[in-house]
Protein backbone atom coordinates (compact mmCIF):
# COMPACT_ATOMS: atom_id res chain seq x y z
CA UNK A 1 0.00 0.00 0.00
CA UNK A 2 2.74 2.41 0.90
CA UNK A 3 4.69 1.41 -2.19
CA UNK A 4 1.70 2.22 -4.36
CA UNK A 5 1.38 5.70 -2.85
CA UNK A 6 5.08 6.34 -3.37
CA UNK A 7 4.82 5.29 -7.01
CA UNK A 8 1.89 7.64 -7.56
CA UNK A 9 3.77 10.51 -5.96
CA UNK A 10 6.81 9.77 -8.10
CA UNK A 11 4.66 9.70 -11.22
CA UNK A 12 3.01 13.00 -10.22
CA UNK A 13 6.37 14.60 -9.62
CA UNK A 14 7.71 13.39 -12.96
CA UNK A 15 4.64 14.69 -14.75
CA UNK A 16 4.97 18.02 -12.90
CA UNK A 17 8.60 18.28 -13.91
CA UNK A 18 7.71 17.52 -17.48
CA UNK A 19 4.92 20.11 -17.46
CA UNK A 20 7.19 22.71 -15.84
CA UNK A 21 9.92 21.94 -18.35
CA UNK A 22 7.45 22.28 -21.19
CA UNK A 23 6.24 25.61 -19.81
CA UNK A 24 9.77 26.87 -19.35
CA UNK A 25 10.72 25.70 -22.81
CA UNK A 26 7.64 27.44 -24.21
CA UNK A 27 8.54 30.64 -22.35
CA UNK A 28 12.12 30.45 -23.65
CA UNK A 29 10.89 29.81 -27.16
CA UNK A 30 8.45 32.72 -26.91
CA UNK A 31 11.21 34.99 -25.57
CA UNK A 32 13.61 33.85 -28.28
CA UNK A 33 11.01 34.34 -30.96
CA UNK A 34 10.17 37.77 -29.54
CA UNK A 35 13.84 38.73 -29.40
CA UNK A 36 14.48 37.49 -32.91
CA UNK A 37 11.30 39.18 -34.11
CA UNK A 38 12.35 42.50 -32.59
CA UNK A 39 15.86 42.17 -34.00
CA UNK A 40 14.51 41.28 -37.43
CA UNK A 41 12.05 44.18 -37.21
CA UNK A 42 14.81 46.69 -36.47
CA UNK A 43 17.04 45.08 -39.11
CA UNK A 44 14.53 45.34 -41.95
CA UNK A 45 12.02 47.89 -40.66
CA UNK A 46 12.37 51.64 -41.27
CA UNK A 47 9.04 52.88 -39.93
CA UNK A 48 9.73 53.74 -36.31
CA UNK A 49 10.95 56.55 -34.09
CA UNK A 50 11.84 56.96 -30.43
CA UNK A 51 9.98 59.65 -28.45
CA UNK A 52 12.12 61.90 -26.29
CA UNK A 53 10.98 63.87 -23.27
CA UNK A 54 13.16 66.99 -23.14
CA UNK A 55 13.60 68.71 -19.77
CA UNK A 56 15.94 71.49 -18.59
CA UNK A 57 17.90 68.95 -16.53
CA UNK A 58 18.69 66.62 -19.42
CA UNK A 59 22.45 66.12 -19.91
CA UNK A 60 22.22 67.40 -23.49
CA UNK A 61 20.41 70.57 -22.39
CA UNK A 62 22.82 71.16 -19.51
CA UNK A 63 25.81 70.67 -21.82
CA UNK A 64 24.34 72.99 -24.46
CA UNK A 65 23.52 75.63 -21.83
CA UNK A 66 27.08 75.39 -20.48
CA UNK A 67 28.49 75.79 -24.00
CA UNK A 68 26.09 78.66 -24.64
CA UNK A 69 27.16 80.48 -21.46
CA UNK A 70 30.87 79.86 -22.16
CA UNK A 71 30.71 81.06 -25.75
CA UNK A 72 28.53 84.05 -24.82
CA UNK A 73 31.05 85.07 -22.13
CA UNK A 74 33.90 84.77 -24.64
CA UNK A 75 31.90 86.85 -27.14
CA UNK A 76 31.16 89.51 -24.49
CA UNK A 77 34.89 89.70 -23.71
CA UNK A 78 35.64 90.24 -27.39
CA UNK A 79 33.02 93.00 -27.50
CA UNK A 80 34.60 94.64 -24.44
CA UNK A 81 38.01 94.46 -26.16
CA UNK A 82 36.42 95.91 -29.27
CA UNK A 83 35.01 98.87 -27.33
CA UNK A 84 38.45 99.51 -25.85
CA UNK A 85 40.03 99.38 -29.31
CA UNK A 86 37.37 101.77 -30.63
CA UNK A 87 38.17 104.19 -27.81
CA UNK A 88 41.88 103.99 -28.63
CA UNK A 89 41.11 104.43 -32.33
CA UNK A 90 39.04 107.54 -31.61
CA UNK A 91 41.91 108.91 -29.52
CA UNK A 92 44.38 108.18 -32.34
CA UNK A 93 42.03 109.88 -34.82
CA UNK A 94 41.78 112.94 -32.57
CA UNK A 95 45.56 113.02 -32.15
CA UNK A 96 46.02 112.69 -35.91
CA UNK A 97 43.54 115.47 -36.65
CA UNK A 98 45.05 117.74 -33.99
CA UNK A 99 48.62 117.26 -35.24
CA UNK A 100 47.66 117.74 -38.89
CA UNK A 101 45.76 120.89 -37.96
CA UNK A 102 48.82 122.07 -36.02
CA UNK A 103 51.07 121.42 -39.02
CA UNK A 104 48.76 123.33 -41.35
CA UNK A 105 48.50 126.24 -38.96
CA UNK A 106 52.25 126.06 -38.32
CA UNK A 107 52.95 126.43 -42.05
CA UNK A 108 50.50 129.32 -42.29
CA UNK A 109 52.02 130.96 -39.21
CA UNK A 110 55.54 130.50 -40.60
CA UNK A 111 54.50 132.05 -43.90
CA UNK A 112 52.71 134.90 -42.13
CA UNK A 113 55.67 135.46 -39.82
CA UNK A 114 58.06 135.44 -42.76
CA UNK A 115 55.93 137.97 -44.65
CA UNK A 116 55.63 140.20 -41.58
CA UNK A 117 59.39 140.15 -40.97
CA UNK A 118 60.10 140.74 -44.65
CA UNK A 119 57.78 143.75 -44.56
CA UNK A 120 59.52 145.02 -41.42
CA UNK A 121 62.85 144.46 -43.18
CA UNK A 122 61.78 146.57 -46.13
CA UNK A 123 60.50 149.36 -43.86
CA UNK A 124 63.68 149.26 -41.80
CA UNK A 125 65.83 149.34 -44.93
CA UNK A 126 63.93 152.41 -46.16
CA UNK A 127 64.26 154.02 -42.73
CA UNK A 128 67.96 153.23 -42.65
CA UNK A 129 68.51 154.91 -46.00
CA UNK A 130 66.55 158.00 -44.95
CA UNK A 131 68.25 158.07 -41.54
CA UNK A 132 71.69 157.69 -43.09
CA UNK A 133 70.99 160.44 -45.58
CA UNK A 134 69.68 162.75 -42.88
CA UNK A 135 72.59 161.87 -40.59
CA UNK A 136 75.11 162.63 -43.32
CA UNK A 137 73.44 165.99 -44.06
CA UNK A 138 73.31 166.90 -40.37
CA UNK A 139 76.92 165.81 -39.82
CA UNK A 140 78.08 167.76 -42.84
CA UNK A 141 76.18 170.85 -41.71
CA UNK A 142 77.54 170.46 -38.17
CA UNK A 143 81.09 170.10 -39.42
CA UNK A 144 80.79 173.21 -41.61
CA UNK A 145 79.17 175.23 -38.85
CA UNK A 146 81.62 173.97 -36.25
CA UNK A 147 84.63 174.89 -38.33
CA UNK A 148 83.30 178.35 -39.05
CA UNK A 149 82.14 178.92 -35.47
CA UNK A 150 85.43 177.74 -33.98
CA UNK A 151 87.46 180.02 -36.30
CA UNK A 152 85.21 183.03 -35.63
CA UNK A 153 85.19 182.41 -31.86
CA UNK A 154 89.01 182.19 -31.70
CA UNK A 155 89.36 185.32 -33.80
CA UNK A 156 86.97 187.31 -31.62
CA UNK A 157 88.58 185.97 -28.46
CA UNK A 158 92.09 186.87 -29.69
CA UNK A 159 90.85 190.36 -30.65
CA UNK A 160 89.60 190.77 -27.10
CA UNK A 161 86.08 191.14 -28.48
CA UNK A 162 84.77 187.99 -26.71
CA UNK A 163 84.85 187.14 -23.06
CA UNK A 164 86.26 183.88 -21.78
CA UNK A 165 82.84 182.71 -20.58
CA UNK A 166 81.32 183.32 -23.97
CA UNK A 167 84.19 181.42 -25.55
CA UNK A 168 83.56 178.42 -23.26
CA UNK A 169 79.85 178.55 -24.06
CA UNK A 170 80.58 178.51 -27.77
CA UNK A 171 83.00 175.58 -27.36
CA UNK A 172 80.33 173.73 -25.31
CA UNK A 173 77.82 174.20 -28.12
CA UNK A 174 80.35 172.82 -30.57
CA UNK A 175 80.92 169.80 -28.31
CA UNK A 176 77.15 169.18 -28.22
CA UNK A 177 77.11 169.25 -32.02
CA UNK A 178 79.89 166.64 -32.00
CA UNK A 179 77.83 164.52 -29.56
CA UNK A 180 74.89 164.81 -31.95
CA UNK A 181 77.05 163.50 -34.75
CA UNK A 182 78.08 160.57 -32.56
CA UNK A 183 74.42 159.84 -31.67
CA UNK A 184 73.51 159.87 -35.33
CA UNK A 185 76.36 157.45 -36.07
CA UNK A 186 75.22 155.21 -33.21
CA UNK A 187 71.63 155.28 -34.50
CA UNK A 188 72.88 154.32 -37.94
CA UNK A 189 74.78 151.36 -36.46
CA UNK A 190 71.75 150.22 -34.44
CA UNK A 191 69.54 150.38 -37.51
CA UNK A 192 72.15 148.38 -39.42
CA UNK A 193 72.26 145.76 -36.64
CA UNK A 194 68.47 145.44 -36.58
CA UNK A 195 68.40 145.25 -40.33
CA UNK A 196 70.94 142.45 -40.40
CA UNK A 197 69.11 140.56 -37.62
CA UNK A 198 65.81 140.79 -39.51
CA UNK A 199 67.53 139.69 -42.70
CA UNK A 200 68.95 136.63 -40.91
CA UNK A 201 65.52 135.81 -39.48
CA UNK A 202 63.87 136.06 -42.90
CA UNK A 203 66.61 133.92 -44.47
CA UNK A 204 66.28 131.41 -41.61
CA UNK A 205 62.51 131.16 -42.10
CA UNK A 206 63.02 130.74 -45.86
CA UNK A 207 65.58 127.99 -45.26
CA UNK A 208 63.29 126.21 -42.77
CA UNK A 209 60.28 126.36 -45.10
CA UNK A 210 62.30 125.12 -48.07
CA UNK A 211 64.05 122.34 -46.11
CA UNK A 212 67.56 123.73 -46.63
CA UNK A 213 70.17 123.60 -43.89
CA UNK A 214 72.13 126.63 -45.06
CA UNK A 215 70.97 129.90 -43.58
CA UNK A 216 69.08 128.36 -40.64
CA UNK A 217 68.98 130.30 -37.40
CA UNK A 218 68.67 128.84 -33.91
CA UNK A 219 65.14 130.24 -33.59
CA UNK A 220 64.08 128.70 -36.91
CA UNK A 221 65.78 125.43 -35.94
CA UNK A 222 63.80 125.27 -32.66
CA UNK A 223 60.57 125.94 -34.53
CA UNK A 224 61.49 123.25 -37.05
CA UNK A 225 62.06 120.79 -34.19
CA UNK A 226 58.50 121.34 -32.97
CA UNK A 227 57.22 120.73 -36.49
CA UNK A 228 59.35 117.57 -36.74
CA UNK A 229 57.89 116.31 -33.47
CA UNK A 230 54.42 116.85 -34.86
CA UNK A 231 55.34 114.92 -38.03
CA UNK A 232 56.57 112.01 -35.90
CA UNK A 233 53.37 112.11 -33.83
CA UNK A 234 51.33 111.95 -37.04
CA UNK A 235 53.33 108.96 -38.26
CA UNK A 236 52.89 107.20 -34.91
CA UNK A 237 49.16 107.98 -34.81
CA UNK A 238 48.68 106.73 -38.39
CA UNK A 239 50.55 103.51 -37.59
CA UNK A 240 48.49 102.97 -34.45
CA UNK A 241 45.28 103.76 -36.34
CA UNK A 242 46.07 101.20 -39.03
CA UNK A 243 46.97 98.61 -36.39
CA UNK A 244 43.77 99.29 -34.45
CA UNK A 245 41.65 99.06 -37.60
CA UNK A 246 43.23 95.72 -38.45
CA UNK A 247 42.64 94.53 -34.88
CA UNK A 248 39.01 95.66 -35.11
CA UNK A 249 38.55 93.73 -38.35
CA UNK A 250 39.99 90.62 -36.70
CA UNK A 251 37.74 91.09 -33.69
CA UNK A 252 34.70 91.56 -35.92
CA UNK A 253 35.51 88.31 -37.69
CA UNK A 254 35.93 86.54 -34.35
CA UNK A 255 32.63 87.99 -33.07
CA UNK A 256 30.97 86.85 -36.30
CA UNK A 257 32.26 83.32 -35.71
CA UNK A 258 30.98 83.41 -32.15
CA UNK A 259 27.61 84.69 -33.39
CA UNK A 260 27.38 81.80 -35.84
CA UNK A 261 28.37 79.35 -33.10
CA UNK A 262 25.81 80.77 -30.67
CA UNK A 263 23.15 80.69 -33.38
CA UNK A 264 23.94 77.03 -34.07
CA UNK A 265 23.72 76.21 -30.34
CA UNK A 266 20.45 78.11 -29.96
CA UNK A 267 19.18 76.46 -33.13
CA UNK A 268 19.95 72.99 -31.80
CA UNK A 269 16.89 70.69 -31.87
CA UNK A 270 17.25 70.16 -28.13
CA UNK A 271 17.23 73.89 -27.42
CA UNK A 272 14.38 74.52 -29.83
CA UNK A 273 12.36 71.75 -28.19
CA UNK A 274 12.91 73.05 -24.65
CA UNK A 275 12.36 76.72 -25.58
CA UNK A 276 9.14 76.06 -27.56
CA UNK A 277 7.88 73.32 -25.23
CA UNK A 278 7.69 70.75 -28.03
CA UNK A 279 7.22 67.02 -27.73
CA UNK A 280 9.82 65.51 -30.03
CA UNK A 281 11.02 62.20 -31.33
CA UNK A 282 14.24 60.93 -32.84
CA UNK A 283 14.12 59.62 -36.42
CA UNK A 284 17.24 57.93 -37.90
CA UNK A 285 18.21 59.06 -41.37
CA UNK A 286 17.18 55.72 -42.90
CA UNK A 287 13.65 56.18 -41.47
CA UNK A 288 13.30 59.82 -42.41
CA UNK A 289 11.45 59.23 -45.70
CA UNK A 290 8.68 57.50 -43.72
CA UNK A 291 8.34 60.40 -41.23
CA UNK A 292 6.72 63.06 -43.38
CA UNK A 293 4.55 65.66 -41.58
CA UNK A 294 1.07 64.25 -40.93
CA UNK A 295 2.22 60.61 -40.79
CA UNK A 296 0.14 58.69 -38.15
CA UNK A 297 1.88 57.36 -35.05
CA UNK A 298 1.09 54.01 -33.40
CA UNK A 299 1.92 52.71 -29.99
CA UNK A 300 2.14 48.92 -29.45
CA UNK A 301 1.68 47.32 -26.03
CA UNK A 302 4.21 44.55 -26.72
CA UNK A 303 6.54 46.42 -29.04
CA UNK A 304 5.04 44.88 -32.22
CA UNK A 305 1.46 43.83 -31.35
CA UNK A 306 -1.70 45.30 -29.84
CA UNK A 307 -1.21 48.71 -31.38
CA UNK A 308 -3.31 51.88 -31.39
CA UNK A 309 -2.97 55.29 -33.04
CA UNK A 310 -1.71 57.95 -30.63
CA UNK A 311 -0.96 60.99 -32.82
CA UNK A 312 0.91 62.22 -35.88
CA UNK A 313 4.29 63.55 -36.99
CA UNK A 314 4.83 67.33 -37.13
CA UNK A 315 7.61 69.33 -38.78
CA UNK A 316 11.25 68.29 -38.62
CA UNK A 317 13.66 70.36 -36.52
CA UNK A 318 16.87 71.74 -38.00
CA UNK A 319 20.16 70.13 -37.07
CA UNK A 320 21.57 66.66 -36.61
CA UNK A 321 21.46 64.70 -33.35
CA UNK A 322 23.00 61.43 -32.21
CA UNK A 323 20.95 59.02 -30.07
CA UNK A 324 21.51 55.48 -28.79
CA UNK A 325 19.65 52.70 -30.63
CA UNK A 326 16.51 51.51 -28.75
CA UNK A 327 17.71 47.88 -28.46
CA UNK A 328 21.33 47.83 -29.64
CA UNK A 329 24.46 49.29 -28.13
CA UNK A 330 25.08 51.54 -31.12
CA UNK A 331 24.67 55.26 -31.79
CA UNK A 332 22.39 56.47 -34.56
CA UNK A 333 22.51 59.73 -36.49
CA UNK A 334 19.28 61.45 -37.41
CA UNK A 335 16.97 64.40 -36.79
CA UNK A 336 14.32 65.43 -34.32
CA UNK A 337 10.70 65.80 -35.41
CA UNK A 338 7.78 67.36 -33.58
CA UNK A 339 5.22 64.87 -32.23
CA UNK A 340 1.55 65.79 -31.96
CA UNK A 341 0.26 63.23 -29.50
CA UNK A 342 -3.28 62.71 -28.23
CA UNK A 343 -1.86 62.22 -24.74
CA UNK A 344 1.50 63.36 -23.46
CA UNK A 345 2.00 60.03 -21.69
CA UNK A 346 2.83 58.39 -25.03
CA UNK A 347 5.99 60.51 -25.12
CA UNK A 348 7.37 58.19 -22.43
CA UNK A 349 7.22 55.14 -24.73
CA UNK A 350 10.45 53.63 -25.98
CA UNK A 351 9.14 53.19 -29.51
CA UNK A 352 6.40 54.52 -31.79
CA UNK A 353 5.61 53.18 -35.26
CA UNK A 354 5.20 55.31 -38.37
CA UNK A 355 2.32 55.02 -40.82
CA UNK A 356 0.77 51.74 -39.63
CA UNK A 357 1.16 48.99 -37.00
CA UNK A 358 4.13 46.73 -37.79
CA UNK A 359 2.04 43.53 -37.83
CA UNK A 360 -1.33 45.15 -38.59
CA UNK A 361 -2.48 44.17 -35.07
Amino acid sequence: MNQRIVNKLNALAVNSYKALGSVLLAIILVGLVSYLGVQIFFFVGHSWLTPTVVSPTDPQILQLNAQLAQQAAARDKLLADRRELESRLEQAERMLGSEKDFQERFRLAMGSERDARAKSLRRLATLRREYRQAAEEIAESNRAYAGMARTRTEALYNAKMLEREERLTANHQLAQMTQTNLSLAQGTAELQTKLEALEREVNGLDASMSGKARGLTTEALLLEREYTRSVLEVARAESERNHLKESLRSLDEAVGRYDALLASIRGSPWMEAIEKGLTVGFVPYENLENAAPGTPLYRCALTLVWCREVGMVGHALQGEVTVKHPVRQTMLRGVMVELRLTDEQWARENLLHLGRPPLLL
Side-chain angles (χ1 to χ4, degrees):
M1 184 66 180
N2 292 333
Q3 184 64 35
R4 189 178 299 169
I5 292 173
V6 172
N7 292 334
K8 286 182 179 182
L9 291 175
N10 290 334
L12 181 61
V14 170
N15 291 332
S16 298
Y17 284 134
K18 289 181 179 180
L20 181 60
S22 299
V23 171
L24 292 176
L25 180 61
I27 292 174
I28 293 173
L29 288 175
V30 170
L32 181 60
V33 170
S34 299
Y35 174 78
L36 292 175
V38 171
Q39 294 297 325
I40 292 171
F41 169 76
F42 281 109
F43 183 75
V44 300
H46 299 290
S47 298
W48 57 270
L49 59 80
T50 56
T52 302
V53 178
V54 182
S55 68
T57 58
D58 285 342
Q60 295 92 338
I61 300 299
L62 293 176
Q63 183 179 1
L64 288 175
N65 281 328
Q67 291 180 0
L68 188 64
Q70 181 181 1
Q71 302 304 328
R75 179 182 180 275
D76 291 341
K77 184 179 183 303
L78 286 181
L79 290 178
D81 293 341
R82 190 183 191 283
R83 287 191 292 270
E84 182 181 353
L85 288 180
E86 285 180 339
S87 176
R88 290 173 55 189
L89 179 61
E90 291 175 359
Q91 183 177 359
E93 292 284 0
R94 287 193 297 269
M95 174 67 71
L96 192 60
S98 175
E99 292 298 333
K100 285 187 175 181
D101 182 64
F102 167 77
Q103 291 179 20
E104 181 65 25
R105 298 178 65 179
F106 182 87
R107 286 190 290 268
L108 292 175
M110 287 282 284
S112 177
E113 183 69 17
R114 190 268 177 200
D115 293 341
R117 295 192 184 187
K119 188 180 295 184
S120 298
L121 180 63
R122 289 192 295 271
R123 287 199 300 265
L124 191 59
T126 301
L127 177 62
R128 185 194 62 176
R129 288 193 299 270
E130 294 175 355
Y131 188 89
R132 178 182 293 174
Q133 183 178 359
E136 290 177 354
E137 291 176 357
I138 293 172
E140 182 66 25
S141 176
N142 286 341
R143 282 193 297 272
Y145 177 78
M148 182 188 68
R150 185 174 291 106
T151 302
R152 183 171 178 273
T153 299
E154 290 298 327
L156 290 174
Y157 181 76
N158 292 331
K160 306 297 182 177
M161 296 178 66
L162 189 67
E163 298 292 335
R164 177 178 179 79
E165 181 178 354
E166 291 177 345
R167 180 191 178 201
L168 292 176
T169 302
N171 289 334
H172 178 70
Q173 291 177 350
L174 293 175
Q176 287 181 339
M177 293 178 65
T178 304
Q179 181 66 34
T180 301
N181 291 337
L182 291 175
S183 298
L184 289 174
Q186 182 180 1
T188 301
E190 290 177 354
L191 284 176
Q192 181 65 30
T193 301
K194 291 181 180 180
L195 187 66
E196 291 175 353
L198 272 178
E199 188 174 1
R200 286 196 302 273
E201 291 175 2
V202 171
N203 292 335
L205 291 175
D206 288 338
S208 177
M209 294 172 65
S210 62
K212 296 179 180 179
R214 186 174 182 180
L216 275 175
T217 61
T218 54
E219 181 183 3
L221 189 60
L222 291 175
L223 291 174
E224 186 176 342
R225 184 174 65 174
E226 293 299 322
Y227 184 82
T228 303
R229 286 177 179 174
S230 178
V231 171
L232 294 176
E233 284 294 330
V234 167
R236 187 186 65 80
E238 287 180 342
S239 177
E240 184 175 5
R241 179 185 63 179
N242 295 334
H243 172 70
L244 291 174
K245 285 184 176 180
E246 186 64 29
S247 298
L248 281 174
R249 281 193 292 269
S250 300
L251 277 180
D252 288 338
E253 292 176 358
V255 170
R257 289 193 293 270
Y258 273 106
D259 288 338
L261 181 58
L262 291 173
S264 66
I265 294 176
R266 293 190 180 100
S268 167
W270 302 103
M271 297 297 290
E272 185 177 355
I274 198 68
E275 289 176 358
K276 296 182 179 179
L278 302 177
T279 301
V280 295
F282 171 73
V283 181
Y285 282 129
E286 56 266 25
N287 298 0
L288 191 58
E289 61 181 9
N290 298 320
T295 301
L297 293 172
Y298 290 87
R299 176 257 181 186
C300 299
L302 297 177
T303 306
L304 301 178
V305 297
W306 294 338
C307 303
R308 58 178 291 190
E309 185 175 350
V310 294
M312 67 174 62
V313 177
H315 70 280
L317 305 183
Q318 297 294 326
E320 180 184 285
V321 294
T322 303
V323 175
K324 187 178 178 180
H325 194 282
V327 297
R328 301 172 187 164
Q329 299 299 318
T330 58
M331 301 301 292
L332 298 175
R333 296 169 57 200
V335 298
M336 288 292 186
V337 296
E338 180 186 2
L339 302 183
R340 299 171 184 172
L341 303 175
T342 57
D343 194 331
E344 291 300 323
Q345 67 173 333
W346 308 128
R348 301 186 183 93
E349 295 291 326
N350 292 328
L351 192 69
L352 292 179
H353 299 278
L354 297 165
R356 60 183 179 81
L359 301 179
L360 298 179
L361 297 176

